[in-house]
Every structure is written in C-alpha cells, then in structure tokens.
Amino acid sequence: NAMANIFGSMLGFSVSAAFLSIFLPLVSNDIDVGNREFAIAHPVCYILLMGLVFGLVAAACSTIGLLVSVFQPNAFVSIAFAGLLFFLVVSYIPENSIFDVLSVILLLPTFTRDNETGFVDILWNILYPSLVIYICGVMFRIKLEWRVKNGYI
C-alpha cells in the first residue's frame, strides 16, 4: 500500500506536469523553493523528487492510520485517520521545527535554514517519512501478530 501511494504520487505529479507544460513552464523563475537552481536546471527531477516526498508523507500518514486501526478495529479509523492526521500535523507542528511536514513536502531547507537546500535536507526529507513508515509498520506487525496469537482475530 505504501509503495502504491509513493508511485501513484510520482505518476500523478509527472502526468500533471506533462499536461501543464503545454501551457506553463515546468518551474517558474519566481518560485519559493529551497534549491531554485536545481529546480530550474532539472525541472523533471525536481518534480519527481517532490512526488516522491509527497508520496512518502501520504504513505506515512496511511501507515499511522493502519497502526491505529489495530488498536481500534473500525473501518472509519483506517480510512479517515490519514487525512485527519495530516491536517493535525500541518496545523500543530511549528514551522521552524525539523518535523514540519510542509517544509518536507515543499523541499524547503530544514537543517540549514538558509535559502539553499543541501544534500542533508533532501536526505532528511526522504528519511523522515520513511522512518515513520518503517517504525509504524513494525509496530503494526507486532500488534497484529499478538492479536492473532491471542485469538482476537
């Protein structure tokens, strides 16, 4: 499911960019991104990287919803929790924090806090949601095996 989210986001960003490139440039000169030179020099790579990071964040929210559904078995929890969680995280995590999800999605600098996104920032933008997916996936598996072992499923 997480891989489908990630590749679906990358495909969606690519198809949107392909259709919009007929009418608009892929990357405008007045964009507010962390690494403007990279975005202008390699717009396709930048769009794929944004799609990858957005897909990772969406998959992380879905994985947390899946983990919560093991503790509270309810269809509403597994379906609606991802959207609710994204709204809460965007609303309540401060903008200056390295855990700010919007900075991660927009590929803005998180550690350097200047106008140049470095390799460490891009690595963090990929590793942060990936670690959330991994930790929640492991916790989900442990709890699900416990529920099966004890006869709750």
Side-chain angles (χ1 to χ4, degrees):
N1 189 19
M3 296 304 288
N5 267 340
I6 294 165
F7 290 122
S9 295
M10 290 176 69
L11 181 66
F13 274 58
S14 301
V15 170
S16 297
F19 284 125
L20 289 176
S21 67
I22 298 170
F23 306 106
L24 302 167
L26 284 178
V27 180
S28 175
N29 288 331
D30 57 345
I31 57 173
D32 184 24
V33 298
N35 196 337
R36 179 174 293 143
E37 290 80 21
F38 176 73
I40 292 172
H42 308 286
V44 175
C45 292
Y46 180 74
I47 289 170
L48 288 175
L49 187 61
M50 279 192 76
L52 171 70
V53 172
F54 182 81
L56 284 169
V57 170
C61 290
S62 298
T63 307
I64 294 172
L66 191 63
L67 176 64
V68 171
S69 73
V70 171
F71 293 100
Q72 177 65 40
N74 184 348
F76 174 75
V77 171
S78 61
I79 294 171
F81 193 77
L84 177 66
L85 178 70
F86 183 78
F87 172 75
L88 291 173
V89 166
V90 168
S91 298
Y92 293 111
I93 292 182
E95 289 182 21
N96 297 342
S97 171
I98 62 170
F99 300 107
D100 181 24
V101 174
L102 287 181
S103 294
V104 169
I105 292 174
L106 295 174
L107 301 176
L108 295 174
T110 51
F111 290 109
T112 55
R113 291 292 171 205
D114 56 4
N115 290 332
E116 191 69 29
T117 302
F119 177 74
V120 174
D121 292 322
I122 292 175
L123 187 65
W124 173 251
N125 291 343
I126 293 172
L127 283 179
Y128 170 41
S130 299
L131 286 173
V132 171
I133 292 169
Y134 178 75
I135 291 168
C136 289
V138 169
M139 291 173 60
F140 172 77
R141 182 177 177 183
I142 291 169
K143 182 65 176 177
L144 188 63
E145 288 173 353
W146 179 85
R147 287 180 62 99
V148 169
K149 179 181 172 186
N150 292 323
Y152 292 112
I153 293 181

